């Protein structure tokens, strides 16, 4: 028995709201449970989906992405508002603070 994670989609979130070089990447996986029934027969069971949200920093050098945090959500991902609130709490220094001049 083994669980296989099959990548079915990836996208960047909040690209315009983070400082330059910081990205939030969401990857969606199908999870499959594979059982070997005999030497040449396998049985596959659908175990739902899993979303992995990763906060990364790209300092601009080739092959130099830095992973800051990883969040995993099974079957139901948070709303964008919930995710933004979590990221703002844990990574206050990343989000740009807009100032309004009088």
């Amino acid at each position: 028995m083994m669980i296989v994670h099959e990548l079915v989609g990836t996208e960047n979130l909040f690209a315009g709201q983070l400082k330059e070089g910081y990205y939030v990447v969401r990857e969606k996986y199908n999870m499959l449970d594979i059982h070997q029934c005999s030497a040449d027969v396998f049985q596959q069971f659908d175990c739902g989906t899993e979303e992995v949200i990763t906060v990364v920093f790209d300092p601009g050098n080739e092959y130099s992405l830095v992973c800051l945090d990883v969040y995993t959500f099974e079957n139901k991902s948070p709303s964008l508002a919930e995710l933004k609130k979590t990221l703002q709490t844990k990574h206050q220094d990343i989000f740009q603070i807009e100032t309004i001049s009088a």
Side-chain angles (χ1 to χ4, degrees):
M1 170 181 90
M2 69 176 169
I3 298 289
V4 175
H5 292 74
E6 177 184 52
L7 180 65
V8 292
T10 184
E11 64 179 301
N12 283 349
L13 306 174
F14 311 127
Q17 299 173 33
L18 297 177
K19 288 183 181 176
E20 185 177 347
Y22 290 87
Y23 301 93
V24 179
V25 179
R26 177 169 57 191
E27 296 174 316
K28 185 174 183 177
Y29 294 88
N30 279 344
M31 296 186 303
L32 304 171
D33 189 1
I34 308 294
H35 291 267
Q36 186 171 6
C37 300
S38 65
D40 57 349
V41 176
F42 292 87
Q43 200 169 22
Q44 174 177 300
F45 299 95
D46 184 4
C47 295
T49 61
E50 178 179 77
E51 293 202 18
V52 178
I53 296 173
T54 308
V55 182
V56 297
F57 174 64
D58 181 0
N61 302 326
E62 197 171 356
Y63 308 115
S64 61
L65 288 178
V66 178
C67 177
L68 301 177
D69 233 327
V70 176
Y71 306 90
T72 302
F73 305 93
E74 289 187 18
N75 298 320
K76 180 180 181 278
S77 65
S79 69
L80 293 179
E82 291 171 321
L83 181 59
K84 182 178 177 183
K85 184 176 178 181
T86 298
L87 293 173
Q88 284 177 327
T89 301
K90 293 191 79 172
H91 303 283
Q92 295 173 0
D93 56 326
I94 295 176
F95 282 83
Q96 295 177 348
I97 300 170
E98 295 180 14
T99 56
I100 300 173
S101 25

